[in-house]
Amino acid sequence: KPLAIVFDLDGVITDTAHLHFLAWRKVAGELGIVIDEVFNDSLKGISRGESLLRILRHGGKEGAFTRAEREQIAARKNALYVDSLRTLTPQAVLPGIRELLSALRSEQIKTGLASVSLNAPAILQALQLTPYFDFCADAARIQRSKPDPEIFLAACNGLHVSPQACIGIEDAQAGIDAINASGMRSVGIGSTLTGADLLLPTTEFLTWPRLSAFWQLDK
Ligand code: BG6
Ligand code: MG
């Protein structure tokens, strides 16, 4: 069996992508930029600063702000986002995830988190999932957003396992590309992803028997 399973957070453990979208839409709107859910998909797995750059580019305003101004805008978005996180309770854990995490505990398979969100520790707390994770990669120490494999490699490193012995789970294309580049085996959640070693429609399909069968099949 795999030595560890490394999870993305937004879209795999809980659906915070919509909350990110609402906060960005408000901030972008204040700058005269319109974004929709389709555009928001391209921000999944992308760091806060890089997301802002993409939004400004989308609105044709890339050069319009200084670095200090951009930091202020990003801080404003984060304040809105953090405020919306108050609505997050253990009920917001996506279907099947808590069961999978506890099955992995029984199987003595290590668990890691690879989220580029600086809010990830607070979100795990709000969901009451912190005790299920052996290691959470620190987003503040990551230089490059997904699709760079850096954060998945940091998670494997912290778990003291080689990427080749691990499965990574992601809902975003940038995340699948990051997992594949890391040498881990990739499991994608959703229908629009390409390149995942195993693709499942929703988190409900994410069970230990299914992951175990996938691991053995691929050997
Ligand atoms: C990722 C999200 O998990 O975290 C991105 O998919 C988000 O949309 C990124 O921009 C950074 O999050 P935060 O909470 O640090 O602004
Ligand atoms: Mg995600």
Side-chain angles (χ1 to χ4, degrees):
K1 52 193 183 188
L3 293 183
I5 301 201
V6 179
F7 293 79
D8 169 47
L9 175 68
D10 291 324
V12 172
I13 289 173
T14 187
D15 188 15
T16 38
H18 190 67
L19 300 177
H20 277 293
F21 170 63
L22 294 178
W24 277 130
R25 187 175 63 178
K26 185 140 203 272
V27 168
E30 289 165 1
L31 304 173
I33 300 171
V34 178
I35 60 169
D36 61 14
E37 300 248 21
V38 175
F39 174 78
N40 188 58
D41 260 6
S42 71
L43 301 181
K44 289 183 179 170
I46 307 301
S47 71
R48 195 183 306 163
E50 175 66 23
S51 293
L52 176 57
L53 287 175
R54 290 190 186 199
I55 289 167
L56 293 177
R57 207 176 302 141
H58 180 71
K61 303 201 177 193
E62 341 178 35
F65 302 95
T66 63
R67 191 191 185 90
E69 286 168 335
R70 288 201 308 269
E71 268 163 26
Q72 265 179 15
I73 298 167
R76 162 132 175 85
K77 181 268 175 177
N78 191 52
L80 290 168
Y81 177 65
V82 168
D83 191 56
S84 71
L85 289 177
R86 286 183 308 160
T87 60
L88 216 58
T89 67
Q91 309 225 321
V93 177
L94 285 169
I97 294 297
R98 196 179 295 274
E99 294 77 2
L100 174 61
L101 288 168
S102 84
L104 297 178
R105 275 278 177 266
S106 309
E107 295 290 328
Q108 296 185 308
I109 294 168
K110 292 180 180 179
T111 49
L113 192 77
S115 170
V116 298
S117 172
L118 295 164
N119 294 298
I123 293 172
L124 283 189
Q125 283 286 348
L127 299 174
Q128 293 177 12
L129 290 182
T130 309
Y132 286 103
F133 286 88
D134 297 306
F135 184 79
C136 298
D138 182 356
R141 288 167 177 267
I142 299 300
Q143 305 292 320
R144 295 172 297 276
S145 274
K146 300 166 188 177
D148 191 285
E150 185 180 8
I151 193 154
F152 282 99
L153 294 174
C156 293
N157 219 18
L159 291 166
H160 309 292
V161 291
S162 87
Q164 285 71 24
C166 301
I167 293 176
I169 307 180
E170 263 287 353
D171 70 311
Q173 190 60 50
I176 291 294
D177 296 343
I179 294 172
N180 290 342
S182 77
M184 306 165 79
R185 294 200 211 160
S186 56
V187 174
I189 306 296
S191 51
T192 59
L193 302 173
T194 57
D197 296 321
L198 173 68
L199 194 59
L200 301 172
T202 67
T203 56
E204 274 160 294
F205 292 81
L206 216 44
T207 61
W208 166 242
R210 204 171 255 122
L211 291 180
S212 171
F214 157 66
W215 185 262
Q216 283 164 39
L217 194 102
D218 223 41
K219 270 248 140 127

